[in-house]
Amino acid sequence: MATFKVSLLDYGAGNVRSVRNAILACGYEIEDITDPAQISQAKAIVFPGVGSYGSAMKVLKEKGFDKPLREYLSGSDRPYLGICLGMQTLFESSDEHEEGANAIPGLGVIPGKVIKFDERKMDVPHIGWNGRILHKESPVLKYVSPEESTYFVHSYYAPITEENRECILTSTTYSGQSFISSVQRGSVVATQFHPEKSGKTGLHVIKGFLEAVENGTLNKTSKLDFDPIAETKLAKRIVVALDVRTNDHGDLVVTKGDQYDVRENQKEGVVDGRGGVRNLGKPVSLAARYYEEGADEIAFLNITSFREGVVEDMPMLQVLEQASKSIFVPLTVGGGIRSYTDPKSGQTWSALEVAARYFRAGADKISIGSDAVHATESLIAQNGKKSGESSIEVISRVYGAQAVVISIDPKRVYAASKDGVDKKHFVVALDDGSSGPNGEKYCWYQCTVKGGREAKDICAVTVAKSVQHLGAGEIMLNCIDMDGQGNGFDLPLMRAVSNAVSIPVIASSGAGNEDHFVEVFSETGVQAALAAGMFHRKEVAIQSCKSAMRKNKIEARNVCS
Ligand code: 1PR
């Protein structure tokens, strides 16, 4: 039985619901810090930093938390767990900061300055499951084996320096760049990775920290000889998507289409002369199954969102609230992230408000589909000048680029040659052995909105580049032609887009067996691959995809039991 409550420093900037749920899952109660005076009384503070460094420091100052927090941390003898930005703010300063007179220094517990990953050398942000090289033994890592990876998502990192070397608990490498992945100085602990999103491994980190607080052993660390040339590897992620909608009986179900058509082919349960909506299960229980089976990430897509009007009615909010209680890997939610005007009340919700509701309900990332195509059209109309007003820009400014995924829904437009296709479209040669109905050997990928219902005169490569420019952090790249076919991912599309952008790309649509994962990771630059139908129908297990990846020397995340 826990003898103290965990003091949670939630300054209202993002999804701290999962941190709450993770602490609760470890058997501890939480007390929110709402008054600066609570800080000096706390037994253990958990600070899950979300957003940007500058805004975090600014909000701490505005709320009056800054000074008591500096005092709490000054002797490094009071228990503290900082997460992600909560680690970065422990350093002296960061490049992710307004320069000049408005600059607010960091908390200064750990020497050094936080800097940005070099976009010329690697995809930025660093998103996904990566390992850790141990520099010190600590009770915090008592239940965690070095083979288990943890989940990272960040564009800035803390470099290893002579001055901070003795505070390093673990380091990690990303595309050859070493950085500090956790620190401990006395009883002050912080992780760059997200324990609350790192599955059971992450829960074990939180448990290790809280137990050590409980029994007074937190500062009992011992230095280790570590291998300075050791490297860790970022795993290629397997994402499971759950397309969610209400069926003809009014139940919220996970469905799955063939080329985005989610109705049964046979004419029983006829609706408008067609079959009923396919029902493959309930969203929360199916997602929980995938968590247990080792999915690295789960995406819920509200596929009828183009019809819905009222934010309060969005069923996905409840789905996320429930799912985030027991699922501790990243959750993405998509469908309907745009501004709405309620036709009945006339009330308008901005895209930022809609996204904020989802983040508060437990989403780590939101995914924008149709609105990203509209934003690209506006960007082109303005000759590449950003308005600062698009949903992508606004949400990414407040929640960070890593929280903004763009879902692209293109379909192939075949061409006999490159000539004759409008120069503004990026034409690819079909080097995957496929061809058009008349033997065409080229195609471009035409973007659609409203779940494939409306085609736009704009290609997937253009949208991908534009959304990166607007501040998106990741691309979920579907292909309507391949969706539900089980014939493999659209490799020419995956290659074209992953070569065109420096943000991570998630390949989607068409997976039918383990080899398709090996193929897309070996032959294109995507960082993650998503499947739906084959997992829902239990045709292929997530772990057998990972085994096939490992056999082919593709890094896959180990799941601890
Ligand atoms: O436009 O911002 O409201 O977002 C709508 C979101 O809903 C987009 O992410 C869009 O992709 C999705 N969506 C809309 N209609 C459908 C549909 O199927 N009728 N689903 C739909 C798209 C794509 C993947 C699918 C993969 C893998 N589904 O989620 O799961 O293709 O399937 P497979 O492995 O079975 O081949 P907005």
Side-chain angles (χ1 to χ4, degrees):
M1 184 64 196
T3 56
F4 66 95
K5 283 190 180 172
V6 177
S7 299
L8 188 71
L9 191 55
D10 172 4
Y11 60 101
N15 173 21
V16 300
R17 184 183 281 267
S18 13
V19 175
R20 275 177 203 284
N21 288 336
I23 295 170
L24 295 173
C26 291
Y28 287 81
E29 285 182 57
I30 296 165
E31 174 180 73
D32 280 288
I33 298 178
T34 51
D35 184 330
Q38 287 169 268
I39 293 179
S40 64
Q41 306 301 317
K43 293 278 182 296
I45 293 180
V46 174
F47 180 35
V50 186
S52 74
Y53 184 95
S55 69
M57 290 310 302
K58 205 165 140 217
V59 177
L60 286 181
K61 196 163 187 180
E62 278 165 8
K63 296 208 165 184
F65 293 152
D66 178 55
K67 199 161 165 271
L69 199 55
R70 286 177 195 276
E71 278 166 18
Y72 182 93
L73 293 166
S74 60
S76 300
D77 54 353
R78 311 279 307 271
Y80 185 87
L81 177 62
I83 297 173
C84 192
L85 197 62
M87 182 186 100
Q88 297 191 354
T89 47
L90 285 179
F91 284 77
E92 292 163 316
S93 64
S94 168
D95 273 349
E96 190 189 21
H97 202 290
E98 297 157 51
E99 293 296 338
N102 295 331
I104 304 170
L107 296 165
V109 177
I110 315 284
K113 183 184 193 186
V114 173
I115 60 175
K116 193 167 186 186
F117 283 117
D118 187 344
E119 280 145 313
R120 290 163 306 178
K121 297 189 184 145
M122 58 208 34
D123 286 353
V124 179
H126 168 226
I127 298 185
W129 300 80
N130 204 330
R132 298 164 317 284
I133 300 155
L134 207 54
H135 294 233
K136 279 199 248 187
E137 296 271 23
S138 162
V140 177
L141 301 177
K142 175 179 167 191
Y143 297 110
V144 179
S145 107
E147 289 79 52
E148 296 168 22
S149 42
T150 46
Y151 186 78
F152 291 82
V153 47
H154 57 126
S155 301
Y156 289 79
Y157 69 96
I160 299 170
T161 65
E162 274 314 312
E163 290 71 34
N164 61 32
R165 207 172 274 280
E166 67 175 38
C167 305
I168 301 174
L169 202 51
T170 63
S171 64
T172 293
T173 51
Y174 174 44
S175 287
Q177 176 64 60
S178 287
F179 66 90
I180 300 174
S181 48
S182 60
V183 288
Q184 179 162 7
R185 179 172 202 162
S187 295
V188 176
V189 181
T191 62
Q192 178 60 69
F193 56 86
H194 285 265
E196 79 285 10
K197 287 287 139 194
S198 298
K200 289 178 186 152
T201 303
L203 294 182
H204 288 162
V205 173
I206 295 175
K207 183 177 159 192
F209 171 77
L210 294 174
E211 265 188 22
V213 174
E214 187 96 57
N215 57 31
T217 56
L218 183 58
N219 60 4
K220 303 272 179 289
T221 57
S222 54
K223 236 172 162 247
L224 287 172
D225 282 337
F226 79 100
D227 177 358
I229 57 162
E231 293 215 334
T232 63
K233 278 203 183 129
L234 181 65
K236 298 285 186 180
R237 285 169 283 153
I238 295 190
V239 182
V240 185
L242 286 80
D243 291 358
V244 179
R245 62 162 287 171
T246 311
N247 69 8
D248 305 310
H249 308 291
D251 306 318
L252 198 65
V253 298
V254 175
T255 189
K256 185 61 215 81
D258 276 330
Q259 300 183 326
Y260 285 30
D261 183 355
V262 298
R263 290 190 176 274
E264 303 283 5
N265 293 327
Q266 71 267 28
K267 299 239 166 147
E268 63 187 55
V270 184
V271 175
D272 295 336
R274 307 180 55 219
V277 170
R278 290 187 189 128
N279 179 352
L280 293 159
K282 292 198 173 124
V284 178
S285 51
L286 202 52
R289 186 190 117 199
Y290 293 135
Y291 172 61
E292 291 300 328
E293 290 176 1
D296 299 321
E297 223 165 299
I298 293 169
F300 293 102
L301 300 170
N302 176 358
I303 67 165
T304 47
S305 55
F306 63 96
R307 293 196 217 140
E308 313 284 341
V310 189
V311 174
E312 301 297 343
D313 284 350
M314 282 198 230
M316 213 63 109
L317 288 171
Q318 287 91 50
V319 168
L320 279 162
E321 280 170 16
Q322 285 306 316
S324 61
K325 281 189 189 154
S326 58
I327 299 176
F328 296 102
V329 293
L331 300 175
T332 300
V333 65
I337 312 289
R338 59 167 197 270
S339 62
Y340 282 115
T341 299
D342 183 337
K344 284 198 196 121
S345 66
Q347 189 185 354
T348 295
W349 302 79
S350 70
L352 180 63
E353 285 167 326
V354 176
R357 301 291 303 256
Y358 281 125
F359 288 126
R360 278 200 297 275
D364 301 287
K365 315 183 201 181
I366 51 88
S367 137
I368 302 177
S370 306
D371 223 25
V373 178
H374 301 140
T376 303
E377 287 174 330
S378 305
L379 189 71
I380 293 169
Q382 297 304 316
N383 294 318
K385 195 166 171 289
K386 298 190 225 179
S387 68
E389 306 290 319
S390 67
S391 49
I392 302 172
E393 289 163 278
V394 175
I395 300 170
S396 135
R397 210 160 39 231
V398 177
Y399 291 96
Q402 78 291 336
V404 182
V405 182
I406 304 302
S407 168
I408 306 183
D409 299 311
K411 52 184 169 197
R412 287 181 169 193
V413 178
Y414 291 103
S417 72
K418 288 195 174 195
D419 314 323
V421 177
D422 194 321
K423 293 274 177 289
K424 68 185 179 188
H425 301 314
F426 189 91
V427 181
V428 304
L430 294 171
D431 53 5
D432 61 341
S434 64
S435 56
N438 301 309
E440 295 94 334
K441 282 296 189 193
Y442 294 86
C443 80
W444 64 281
Y445 290 89
Q446 182 173 31
C447 286
T448 64
V449 294
K450 299 182 181 167
R453 285 163 189 80
E454 195 180 315
K456 294 284 189 172
D457 189 26
I458 196 160
C459 82
V461 173
T462 304
V463 170
K465 284 179 165 174
S466 304
V467 298
Q468 171 172 325
H469 181 58
L470 290 171
E474 203 172 10
I475 291 172
M476 184 189 289
L477 187 54
N478 306 293
C479 178
I480 296 179
D481 307 73
M482 305 299 165
D483 175 61
Q485 305 307 295
N487 294 328
F489 297 97
D490 193 315
L491 299 179
L493 171 64
M494 300 306 147
R495 245 190 306 272
V497 172
S498 59
N499 287 343
V501 294
S502 61
I503 52 177
V505 173
I506 305 167
S508 170
S509 305
N513 60 46
E514 295 86 343
D515 292 345
H516 294 149
F517 285 82
V518 173
E519 194 175 67
V520 77
F521 288 134
S522 314
E523 297 182 27
T524 80
V526 302
Q527 293 221 353
L530 172 156
M534 70 172 210
F535 292 139
H536 300 340
R537 293 185 298 268
K538 294 192 173 171
E539 290 160 0
V540 182
I542 295 171
Q543 286 309 324
S544 64
C545 296
K546 291 194 176 180
S547 303
M549 285 163 62
R550 287 190 197 103
K551 256 187 222 145
N552 287 277
K553 305 211 171 349
I554 298 164
E555 197 72 15
R557 171 176 76 109
N558 284 318
V559 180
C560 83
S561 49

